[in-house]
Amino acid sequence: MNPTLQILRETEFYQGFIRFKMSITNESPSIMADVILDFYFEEALLRIDRHEPDFQLKNGKIFLGNIHSGESKSVAVYFDPLMCSRGAEINCQVTYRDAGGMLGSAFMEPKMVSVVCPILNTDSDINIGRLKEFIEVLPNRDSKVYEIQSGFDISRLVHIAREVVEKHDVRHIRTLHTKDKKECEVWYYGKTKVHQENLVIKISLRSETESLELFAATERAKSLAGFLAEVGRNMKNSLEARAAGRGNVTNLTIKDSVIQRSSLLDHCDMSGMCSTNIIVEDSVIQRSSISSGRAGEVPLGVETGVRTEGRESEALRKQQEELDRLRKEIEELQRQREKEDRLRQEREHQEKQKEEEEKLRQELERLRKQKEEEAEKLRKQREARKSGAPKALTCQGIEFVQIPVGEFMMGSEDGGAERPVHKVTIKNSFYLGKYPITQKQWKAVMGSNPSEFKGDDRPVEHVSWNDVQAFIRKLNQMEGADKYRLPSEAEWEYACRAGTTTRYYFGDDESKLGVYAWYDEDWNSGSTHPVGQKKPNPWGLYDMHGNVFEWCQDRWHDNYNGAPSDGNAWESGSGSLRVSRGGGWYGIAGYCRSANRCSGVPVIRSYSFGFRVLRKL
């Protein structure tokens, strides 16, 4: 187990799924960035259905983002059992980058899960009284609910659902429906063969919500999950194949896992008598060896015995004629409904096309206006450069470029730490180093060279934020004035963008980044490079993208809520982390974006951290 990470996990059965809960705690003294969960399991046995909360999912991996020191992030992953198994192992690799950009990983201790599809062997019936008792005492209950989006016909759906359930050795207890036939419930009782567990099953259909619920209650959670997984999958496949059509049966999530009590069974008493609004099909009271109350007792007003057989032939003929007539009416109604559905779908498709065309027109208009505004802004910037182009200055062997006053929109929508995008006004012009501080310049001030990758023209690295403050103090002493400091985060991004609004100061095309930056090199074989070898930004600043991350004066904050709007460094707050910008020689392209933010503890010395200095006018 990685000593910087604590990984906790547990499983439970929920709506026929295995709900896998996992918590990641950062026990290191610094931030962990780009935390990713990569699950490994036997795909023939399990499938990931969904996860909560809605973290980014890419190539089957869950991206948790950054986890600060001492904090945790949790996720619940819903595994759908594809078949019954006595053992399926779930593994997970957690990868991340530490404050210095180093890649780290840890493996979760594997979790073994099992799903039991119970074999049913039911040798007796029960009555409604015993059924109601079982519902009260069986400890494990759950449901799968399906929304039928097309072809909702209660009589047809009941027939299909009963065929699915009755493939198992269960006993049909009662079918209940309202007089208006808008609600229907079918109840079953079963018993598992191995553990002799009692099992209660309900099929419930409601016209108002156009939904079908498969409910089950039993004594063991494993049996319940296996039964719902197996029968639920067969139920959905049969409904799609024979009634609704593929893609028109949707699983609905029961958020709080509270079992839906039967609204129809509650209208029946323990003896089986129901209210006048409830019609009971097959309403013969059955004798049972495990019945409630005194065996064989029959409530007043209810017929006993088996169905009457051998009816008169005339009655049978009339009944058959009535059934044929009803069947033809149902088939005609079904054809009319299918025709209406087709017409409705065609209308909806036409309306959707019109809406999409209108949205496209509005988007094109917005882009046209945005392009005109950007063109006008660029024109004004070109005019401003002509009238007052940045001037060069060299002091203490350091070349500077003058940065003009102006305003810009700081941040981006690409990352949570870069939001909200907000306006910043730079009221005072300043000088900023044309290049990152080199090893030659550092040695001239400090008398030593701490860098890993030696070279006078290479950027100095392996310097902490505290080391940089010491360098600046000596630089000011050499000049006898308080002229030098680190740029604020806002000043750095303003100078990097140089009047642009794109992801990089040359545009949005990431494929061109190699012309302007050293980046994405191998950690073991790569290194920094002499400054000034790549193309500069529009204001003549080099290596603002890549080569080394550059320290800024600000304390780290998780977002820009409350950030200064005047360009000053944001130094309030209790956190110890400091901001770094620009990306480095080993970092990915996204780290080089003009708006990207990183952080580090002020004492860390990394082979990828350097800086450039600001000089006041």
Side-chain angles (χ1 to χ4, degrees):
M1 179 66 70
N2 190 314
T4 62
L5 279 179
Q6 182 187 54
I7 304 175
L8 301 177
R9 79 278 191 278
E10 64 179 6
T11 58
E12 62 181 354
F13 295 103
Y14 177 76
Q15 296 179 19
F17 296 102
I18 300 170
R19 181 158 60 181
F20 185 89
K21 299 178 180 178
M22 187 173 182
S23 173
I24 309 296
T25 302
N26 178 4
E27 296 186 335
S28 72
S30 58
I31 190 173
M32 287 185 172
D34 303 332
V35 180
I36 300 173
L37 306 183
D38 191 2
F39 285 93
Y40 300 90
F41 52 86
E42 193 169 346
E43 295 181 356
L45 301 179
L46 299 172
R47 178 186 68 86
I48 293 180
D49 181 76
R50 66 186 188 276
H51 66 278
E52 297 172 348
D54 191 18
F55 291 113
Q56 181 185 3
L57 180 67
K58 187 175 181 182
N59 296 328
K61 301 177 182 180
I62 300 175
F63 288 70
L64 299 186
N66 299 342
I67 304 179
H68 291 279
S69 176
E71 295 183 358
S72 302
K73 284 192 176 180
S74 300
V75 65
V77 182
Y78 291 78
F79 286 91
D80 184 13
L82 299 180
M83 63 179 66
C84 297
S85 170
R86 293 190 176 276
E89 193 173 80
I90 299 176
N91 296 275
C92 182
Q93 182 182 15
V94 183
T95 60
Y96 59 91
R97 290 188 182 274
D98 61 20
M102 293 287 290
L103 185 65
S105 69
F107 282 90
M108 177 195 77
E109 183 179 349
K111 180 69 176 178
M112 184 69 69
V113 296
S114 62
V115 175
V116 178
C117 289
I119 300 173
L120 299 177
N121 183 20
T122 310
D123 56 6
S124 58
D125 297 328
I126 63 172
N127 58 21
I128 284 184
R130 190 58 170 156
L131 178 69
K132 292 168 75 74
E133 289 180 1
F134 277 139
I135 294 173
E136 291 294 330
V137 300
L138 289 177
N140 294 293
R141 317 169 185 187
D142 216 333
S143 296
K144 274 186 174 291
V145 180
Y146 305 95
E147 182 181 36
I148 314 299
Q149 299 173 352
S150 175
F152 190 88
D153 182 329
I154 278 188
S155 60
R156 186 179 184 187
L157 295 174
V158 166
H159 178 71
I160 295 171
R162 288 191 62 169
E163 283 189 359
V164 173
V165 174
E166 291 173 9
K167 288 179 180 179
H168 299 268
D169 187 2
V170 294
R171 295 292 186 268
H172 173 235
I173 307 303
R174 287 294 184 274
T175 296
L176 311 174
H177 62 78
T178 55
K179 284 186 175 180
D180 58 10
K181 296 188 177 181
K182 291 184 177 181
E183 293 186 39
C184 180
E185 292 179 355
V186 186
W187 289 90
Y188 293 92
Y189 166 73
K191 207 171 186 68
T192 62
K193 183 175 182 179
V194 177
H195 294 283
Q196 294 292 295
E197 303 170 71
N198 293 304
L199 177 68
V200 171
I201 307 158
K202 177 190 74 173
I203 303 167
S204 175
L205 292 105
R206 289 175 174 80
S207 295
E208 181 180 358
T209 57
E210 294 192 342
S211 63
L212 182 150
E213 177 190 6
L214 173 64
F215 163 84
T218 187
E219 298 171 24
R220 294 199 313 156
K222 288 184 178 181
S223 299
L224 178 62
F227 179 83
L228 285 177
E230 180 182 14
V231 178
R233 188 160 40 251
N234 294 338
M235 183 77 72
K236 182 177 181 182
N237 292 339
S238 294
L239 292 173
E240 287 186 333
R242 300 173 58 188
R246 182 155 302 276
N248 289 322
V249 178
T250 305
N251 286 72
L252 298 179
T253 301
I254 306 173
K255 292 292 184 184
D256 56 1
S257 189
V258 175
I259 298 307
Q260 307 299 305
R261 286 297 187 90
S262 166
S263 60
L264 302 187
L265 189 64
D266 289 345
H267 291 280
C268 301
D269 61 22
M270 298 293 285
S271 67
M273 292 292 292
C274 302
S275 69
T276 57
N277 187 47
I278 305 300
I279 296 176
V280 184
E281 296 181 3
D282 305 325
S283 55
V284 178
I285 297 300
Q286 302 175 356
R287 300 178 183 273
S288 171
S289 60
I290 55 173
S291 62
S292 177
R294 289 176 293 178
E297 181 175 329
V298 180
L300 186 63
V302 180
E303 294 180 340
T304 61
V306 297
R307 289 199 183 95
T308 304
E309 297 182 351
R311 294 182 177 178
E312 296 179 0
S313 59
E314 180 64 21
L316 288 173
R317 184 183 64 78
K318 289 182 178 180
Q319 185 181 32
Q320 185 62 44
E321 289 176 353
E322 180 66 15
L323 288 173
D324 291 341
R325 184 185 64 79
L326 290 174
R327 187 179 299 108
K328 290 179 181 179
E329 288 181 0
I330 290 172
E331 290 173 353
E332 180 62 26
L333 288 172
Q334 182 66 24
R335 284 193 293 271
Q336 291 179 2
R337 182 162 186 171
E338 290 174 353
K339 182 178 180 180
E340 291 172 356
D341 286 343
R342 286 195 299 271
L343 292 173
R344 177 181 55 80
Q345 290 173 0
E346 289 175 359
R347 287 194 300 270
E348 290 176 352
H349 179 68
Q350 291 172 357
E351 291 172 357
K352 188 174 181 180
Q353 277 187 323
K354 290 180 180 179
E355 290 175 358
E356 290 175 350
E357 288 172 359
E358 178 61 21
K359 288 180 181 179
L360 180 61
R361 186 192 65 77
Q362 293 176 358
E363 179 65 13
L364 290 173
E365 179 65 16
R366 185 189 67 80
L367 291 173
R368 184 188 65 78
K369 289 181 179 179
Q370 180 180 344
K371 189 173 182 179
E372 289 177 354
E373 291 171 357
E374 290 178 351
E376 178 64 16
K377 190 172 183 179
L378 288 172
R379 184 187 64 79
K380 291 179 179 179
Q381 289 173 354
R382 284 195 294 269
E383 291 176 356
R385 292 194 196 102
K386 290 178 182 178
S387 61
K391 300 175 183 178
L393 178 72
T394 300
C395 294
Q396 302 297 332
I398 303 172
E399 294 183 64
F400 291 93
V401 171
Q402 184 178 349
I403 306 302
V405 298
E407 61 183 28
F408 76 111
M409 298 305 294
M410 184 174 183
S412 79
E413 297 297 335
D414 288 341
E418 300 165 21
R419 294 195 290 262
V421 177
H422 59 289
K423 182 188 288 187
V424 174
T425 301
I426 305 296
K427 297 181 179 179
N428 298 311
S429 180
F430 57 89
Y431 289 109
L432 189 64
K434 188 174 183 179
Y435 312 102
I437 292 296
T438 65
Q439 296 175 30
K440 180 179 180 181
Q441 292 164 346
W442 176 276
K443 190 172 181 180
V445 175
M446 304 299 287
S448 62
N449 182 5
S451 302
E452 171 71 13
F453 307 111
K454 294 293 192 288
D456 284 349
D457 293 332
R458 291 178 186 245
V460 67
E461 25 82 8
H462 211 251
V463 289
S464 69
W465 186 90
N466 290 341
D467 295 335
V468 172
Q469 298 300 318
F471 174 88
I472 290 172
R473 284 194 296 272
K474 283 195 174 185
L475 195 60
N476 282 320
Q477 290 170 4
M478 292 169 66
E479 193 150 320
D482 187 19
K483 289 282 189 179
Y484 300 98
R485 62 176 173 84
L486 279 176
S488 70
E489 188 176 9
E491 290 167 336
W492 191 98
E493 185 171 330
Y494 175 67
C496 178
R497 288 187 179 277
T500 65
T501 59
T502 48
R503 290 164 61 85
Y504 306 94
Y505 54 64
F506 56 84
D508 290 319
D509 189 354
E510 187 178 298
S511 65
K512 297 179 181 179
L513 182 58
V515 179
Y516 297 85
W518 299 105
Y519 76 103
D520 204 19
E521 297 186 20
D522 184 78
W523 177 262
N524 295 313
S525 61
S527 68
T528 60
H529 297 269
V531 300
Q533 293 188 345
K534 297 289 186 176
K535 285 187 177 182
N537 76 355
W539 286 353
L541 297 172
Y542 290 81
D543 297 303
M544 294 296 279
H545 294 329
N547 214 351
V548 287
F549 288 86
E550 297 183 12
W551 288 113
C552 293
Q553 185 64 30
D554 306 59
R555 289 184 186 276
W556 170 262
H557 297 79
D558 288 339
N559 52 56
Y560 285 137
N561 290 323
S565 61
D566 58 2
N568 287 331
W570 192 5
E571 297 207 68
S572 61
S574 59
S576 63
L577 300 178
R578 295 288 177 169
V579 174
S580 64
R581 288 297 205 110
W585 55 269
Y586 75 91
I588 60 176
Y591 288 171
C592 297
R593 292 181 296 106
S594 300
N596 184 68
R597 308 175 68 218
C598 292
S599 65
V601 291
V603 297
I604 189 173
R605 295 186 176 100
S606 172
Y607 305 148
S608 61
F609 275 56
F611 69 105
R612 71 179 72 212
V613 294
L614 177 149
R615 189 180 193 277
K616 302 175 187 177
L617 284 178

